[in-house]
Amino acid sequence: MKNKAVIFDLDGTLYDNSSLAFRMVLRDLRHLSLLKAERKSREELSGRYFGDSGLLYRALFERMSVMSGFPVERVENWYFTVFMPAMTHILEKGFQARPWVLPLLADLRSKGIRTAVFSDYDFAQQKLSAIGISPNCFDFVTDAFSEGGFKPCRESFESVAGKLNVNPSEVIVVGDRPEKDGAGAMGAGMFFRKVNGNEFEL
């Protein structure tokens, strides 16, 4: 393997998240309008570079407020005290890492290849721990807010490569969504490998 670093997506890549959205809805039916607004707002903001976590959070919460009819302050409070903690709790109770993840990470580390997690969602370290992966298995863990833009924002992928201290052309991105992980990777000059399930090799 000639590449010097591998960037992993989290949701849908390191674990099977196919039932996560349904479980989130069942857990928080009273906030269904906020759940829908959160997902739709992310899609509308995807690919845009804000360059700052505060600006991206503000844009997300303001759009969610308009879509749901709730004040921005209530939207923000729900996101940080209900939505993301609930997601982490659901993962801890019913999800686990795909079987290839830990062996692959150990193999990459033994070869001196740097690794990172780049998630479109925050709480990435907590979510990794919830599915049985120590964040210390990676050189660092980051998210779209920290990098300034939701996938497939090219600048966000370039920022992660910079933190890994490698050129984008030396990076493989492993993800489950070609339209997000793949488009962002290729836009930044990286390689992309799609995860199809519990069988995967680089």
Side-chain angles (χ1 to χ4, degrees), residues 30-48:
R30 64 194 177 121
H31 292 128
L32 190 57
S33 61
L34 281 170
L35 288 166
K36 290 180 177 178
E38 193 275 340
R39 178 161 295 210
K40 188 172 181 181
S41 297
R42 279 179 177 273
E43 286 303 313
E44 290 191 1
L45 295 172
S46 66
R48 289 181 54 189

Side-chain angles (χ1 to χ4, degrees), residues 24 38 42 78-90 121-124 127 145:
M24 289 290 293
E38 193 275 340
R42 279 179 177 273
W78 170 83
Y79 183 91
F80 286 118
T81 67
V82 178
F83 178 63
M84 291 307 302
M87 186 183 296
T88 302
H89 181 75
I90 289 171
Y121 282 85
D122 40 4
F123 282 55
K127 289 166 67 178
F145 293 100

Side-chain angles (χ1 to χ4, degrees), residues 69-200:
F70 291 113
V72 172
E73 294 77 12
R74 183 172 177 183
V75 169
E76 182 176 353
N77 182 67
W78 170 83
Y79 183 91
F80 286 118
T81 67
V82 178
F83 178 63
M84 291 307 302
M87 186 183 296
T88 302
H89 181 75
I90 289 171
L91 291 179
E92 186 176 23
K93 295 300 181 182
F95 292 80
Q96 59 184 5
R98 296 188 190 274
W100 53 263
V101 175
L102 292 178
L104 177 58
L105 291 175
D107 181 58
L108 293 173
R109 177 159 289 187
S110 72
K111 295 174 180 177
I113 296 171
R114 306 204 73 198
T115 59
V117 167
F118 174 31
S119 174
D120 236 7
Y121 282 85
D122 40 4
F123 282 55
Q125 293 202 23
Q126 296 93 319
K127 289 166 67 178
L128 283 170
S129 297
I131 61 172
I133 305 175
S134 169
N136 293 329
C137 290
F138 304 90
D139 288 285
F140 74 91
V141 177
T142 189
D143 59 72
F145 293 100
S146 300
E147 305 309 325
F150 293 130
K151 300 174 183 179
C153 179
R154 171 182 56 80
E155 292 90 346
S156 294
F157 282 85
E158 291 173 341
S159 176
V160 178
K163 291 177 179 179
L164 285 168
N165 197 30
V166 295
N167 293 321
S169 61
E170 299 171 321
V171 177
I172 293 176
V173 173
V174 177
D176 65 311
R177 299 177 299 169
E179 75 281 5
K180 299 285 179 139
D181 306 305
M186 290 184 282
M190 303 175 182
F191 298 94
F192 174 65
R193 288 291 306 279
K194 184 177 184 298
V195 168
N196 294 310
N198 290 332
E199 300 290 334
F200 177 76

